[in-house]
Amino acid sequence: RVKYSINVYGSISEQPIFDNIANLFIPSTVDACYQHDGAGLPEGIKLGNGKWNTTGHQDRIVKVDSAALTTFANLYDEPGTPALRARLPAIHAGTLSSVLRKLSQYPKRFADLADDYFATVMFDETYAQRDGTITRRPNNNHEFASTPQDWVLSGPHFFVANPYNKTPRRVSTEKGHYDNIDLETLPDDYLPRSNYIPMADKAEYLRRTPRVSWVEKGRTAAKPVTDYFRLIFSNYVSISGERTTRPVIGPTGVAHVNAVSSIIFKESRYLPDIGGTMSSLVIDFFVKTAGMAHLWMNQLTRIPVLLNSELLRCRFLALNCLTSHYAPLWEHVYNPDFIYQIWRQPNNPRLPHDFWKDLTGNWTRHCAMRSDYARRMALVEIDVLVAQALGLTLDELQLIYRVQFPVMQGYERDTWYDINGRIVFTNSKGLVGVGLPRKGARATPVTCVTTPDGKTTVGRHGWEDLYKNEVFLVPDGTTVDMTVTDDTLPGGPRQVTRTFTAPFAKASREDDYKVAWAFFEANKPAEMTST
């Protein structure tokens, strides 16, 4: 199937050099692709039933020519890499080639910030324990970090735009020993448990802490990276997982192990700009197509970035600034125009429509997005903002989602929200313990179901007691109180009651993309941007 067209001098003709098909699981898919008539769009990596896609489609055959190789070299390789030596990305459909071309042509790149940032992996998880810089928290120590300086961040602590995703359990010996944190009840000064404890000698610990590459005016030495708010992301990426880099803002004082990287910016306003861009599906798509298990700074600097967009900046800040530890950053970057934002679905009852207008320049807990539905919607709008800025079309954004994010699609198809925007049920493996279990059993939490007529039923209900075979089994206005044991906050395990109120509904990312796209497209002249 490979068709070479390289002349004797080694230059490349404009004819296709070879055909490429990525994400193959069985050989027969190759023949099916060449036999396909080209009608319709190809399915994604997985089908709607969750099974791997082995069907053929003509657009799965990516024609690689000199222009494509030049695009690949510009996106994935060191500057100056010849087109013939370009890294070959895993492109699932030929239609997506236009997305890569647009990414390569966007004029603003991370690398353009030049000396205005400093990156570090901080402490090597093995060697830092060996030399005593950090020590593993013993099983009999169940305490939470008392200050950010006591927090050594690990990968499970955070997810996309959420620095408080999970906390380690009191005994944490496996990577799955983490519990999800309820952002709606998060104390203003909250810090999670840390699996590592910094050394007792604070002066020596500070000496071992990396320092930025610049010296601020009025100082004689560079400051440690822990004096700054930082963009934190995972450098061990799962190409087949739900998301890859998972960028968040880390508070001052916090350290981290080398499975994680952090970036400090001379200009703190760039922090939400780069973080917001990286949190979009478009940049996640770029990372996934690179096919690398590790994302290092030399690859990250090639991504396009959307700078000075207040639309992007306010959303990423509101997603991250969840506690008072972020107050200095919020108050420094806050723009009074934030209050003029509106949700793109003004009649959606699951969105907090007073959120934007109630924002203040002084941080309060109301400056942070906390409900599951609102946080999801903010990320949807970030996807659209970044896609439009990079020159993509709505069809291209939707195709990226359909093709490259099968795990995310599977979760969205079976995640349900109550009328207040709280997840009542989800099949997400990253949200174990969130919402009701699928089926009630003796080991599941106690629930109390109250219908609008005042009738109550106490039991151990599951989601299928409320919705089954595409039929809701309870009327609108029904409340479900679920009592669980929670050990994610200081003070020891306690009983908490979480309430879910019908009607319940799913959300469609593709439908939400359409609505947000139309609004932002129609209001482009009114976009708020700073210089």
Side-chain angles (χ1 to χ4, degrees), residues 200-208:
D201 187 339
K202 298 305 180 186
E204 177 62 17
Y205 182 71
L206 187 62
R207 190 187 68 79
R208 299 182 186 187

Side-chain angles (χ1 to χ4, degrees), residues 123 136 171 215 234 266 351 368 376 379 422 429 442:
F123 299 135
R136 185 81 186 187
V171 177
V215 177
S234 174
K266 284 184 180 179
L351 289 170
R376 176 197 166 279
L379 288 170
R422 180 183 278 271
K429 293 180 180 179
R442 285 188 296 176

Side-chain angles (χ1 to χ4, degrees), residues 309-428:
S309 168
E310 297 295 343
L311 294 170
L312 178 67
R313 189 175 290 168
C314 66
R315 284 162 176 77
F316 195 69
L317 283 173
L319 287 166
N320 281 269
C321 296
L322 291 161
T323 65
S324 58
H325 302 295
Y326 291 88
L329 176 66
W330 174 269
E331 291 161 11
H332 178 69
V333 182
Y334 176 81
N335 186 319
D337 285 341
F338 285 2
I339 65 172
Y340 298 117
Q341 292 297 296
I342 59 172
W343 294 109
R344 310 309 153 191
Q345 298 182 14
N347 298 318
N348 190 329
R350 290 174 175 81
L351 289 170
H353 292 285
D354 292 337
F355 175 79
W356 298 108
K357 71 180 183 65
D358 288 344
L359 293 178
T360 57
N362 295 320
W363 185 91
T364 70
R365 67 177 292 105
H366 303 292
C367 294
M369 289 183 192
R370 300 185 182 276
S371 81
D372 301 314
Y373 196 92
R375 293 180 64 81
R376 176 197 166 279
M377 188 62 73
L379 288 170
V380 165
E381 293 185 351
I382 285 175
D383 290 347
V384 171
L385 287 168
V386 174
Q388 289 186 343
L390 298 180
L392 273 61
T393 66
L394 174 59
D395 287 343
E396 287 170 333
L397 174 60
Q398 291 181 324
L399 187 61
I400 286 172
Y401 173 63
R402 292 172 198 160
V403 166
Q404 210 72 43
F405 294 88
V407 175
M408 195 175 180
Q409 291 176 62
Y411 292 161
E412 286 236 334
R413 279 193 290 267
D414 206 12
T415 294
W416 298 78
Y417 301 85
D418 81 343
I419 194 63
N420 298 311
R422 180 183 278 271
I423 291 176
V424 61
F425 173 77
T426 180
N427 65 342
S428 172

Side-chain angles (χ1 to χ4, degrees), residues 517-528:
W517 192 282
F519 182 91
F520 286 127
E521 188 73 23
N523 292 275
K524 270 187 177 180
E527 271 195 3
M528 300 176 298

Side-chain angles (χ1 to χ4, degrees), residues 158-396:
F158 64 96
F159 198 60
V160 181
N162 180 4
Y164 296 107
N165 181 49
K166 296 182 180 183
T167 184
R169 294 174 185 164
R170 53 182 48 225
V171 177
S172 179
T173 57
E174 300 290 340
K175 63 180 181 180
H177 289 176
Y178 284 77
D179 290 321
N180 289 91
I181 298 169
D182 185 354
L183 300 183
E184 294 194 31
T185 59
L186 201 69
D188 287 0
D189 60 350
Y190 179 79
L191 290 167
R193 289 190 183 98
S194 176
N195 278 336
Y196 292 103
I197 300 173
M199 65 192 308
D201 187 339
K202 298 305 180 186
E204 177 62 17
Y205 182 71
L206 187 62
R207 190 187 68 79
R208 299 182 186 187
T209 299
R211 293 176 179 266
V212 296
S213 55
W214 59 83
V215 177
E216 292 186 2
K217 186 177 180 180
R219 298 184 63 90
T220 58
K223 294 167 65 175
V225 296
T226 48
D227 279 9
Y228 297 85
F229 289 95
R230 281 159 289 157
L231 179 63
I232 292 175
F233 63 95
S234 174
N235 53 42
Y236 287 80
V237 297
S238 174
I239 303 304
S240 61
E242 181 181 1
R243 300 297 298 265
T244 56
T245 58
R246 303 178 284 121
V248 297
I249 298 174
T252 58
V254 65
H256 59 78
V257 294
N258 64 317
V260 175
S261 291
S262 61
I263 306 172
I264 305 92
F265 298 91
K266 284 184 180 179
E267 294 283 346
S268 56
R269 61 193 173 93
Y270 288 146
L271 199 165
D273 293 352
I274 306 297
T277 305
M278 283 180 60
S279 67
S280 71
L281 249 65
V282 180
I283 300 305
D284 208 319
F285 161 76
F286 164 82
V287 175
K288 284 179 179 288
T289 56
M292 297 176 289
H294 300 79
L295 179 67
W296 305 116
M297 280 304 299
N298 62 334
Q299 289 107 27
L300 188 62
T301 55
R302 290 192 283 275
I303 68 168
V305 291
L306 177 57
L307 299 178
N308 300 319
S309 168
E310 297 295 343
L311 294 170
L312 178 67
R313 189 175 290 168
C314 66
R315 284 162 176 77
F316 195 69
L317 283 173
L319 287 166
N320 281 269
C321 296
L322 291 161
T323 65
S324 58
H325 302 295
Y326 291 88
L329 176 66
W330 174 269
E331 291 161 11
H332 178 69
V333 182
Y334 176 81
N335 186 319
D337 285 341
F338 285 2
I339 65 172
Y340 298 117
Q341 292 297 296
I342 59 172
W343 294 109
R344 310 309 153 191
Q345 298 182 14
N347 298 318
N348 190 329
R350 290 174 175 81
L351 289 170
H353 292 285
D354 292 337
F355 175 79
W356 298 108
K357 71 180 183 65
D358 288 344
L359 293 178
T360 57
N362 295 320
W363 185 91
T364 70
R365 67 177 292 105
H366 303 292
C367 294
M369 289 183 192
R370 300 185 182 276
S371 81
D372 301 314
Y373 196 92
R375 293 180 64 81
R376 176 197 166 279
M377 188 62 73
L379 288 170
V380 165
E381 293 185 351
I382 285 175
D383 290 347
V384 171
L385 287 168
V386 174
Q388 289 186 343
L390 298 180
L392 273 61
T393 66
L394 174 59
D395 287 343
E396 287 170 333

Side-chain angles (χ1 to χ4, degrees), residues 1 21 24-38 54-61:
R1 300 292 186 184
I21 304 177
L24 286 171
F25 304 104
I26 58 174
S28 62
T29 305
V30 177
D31 290 326
C33 289
Y34 281 95
Q35 295 164 4
H36 191 266
D37 61 7
T54 60
T55 60
H57 193 286
Q58 189 179 98
D59 196 44
R60 291 284 305 277
I61 306 168

Side-chain angles (χ1 to χ4, degrees), residues 74-101:
N74 289 339
L75 273 178
Y76 300 104
D77 296 294
E78 297 293 334
T81 298
L84 280 173
R85 297 182 181 178
R87 184 191 306 271
L88 184 64
I91 306 176
H92 187 78
T95 309
L96 294 174
S97 299
S98 62
V99 176
L100 296 182
R101 184 170 62 253

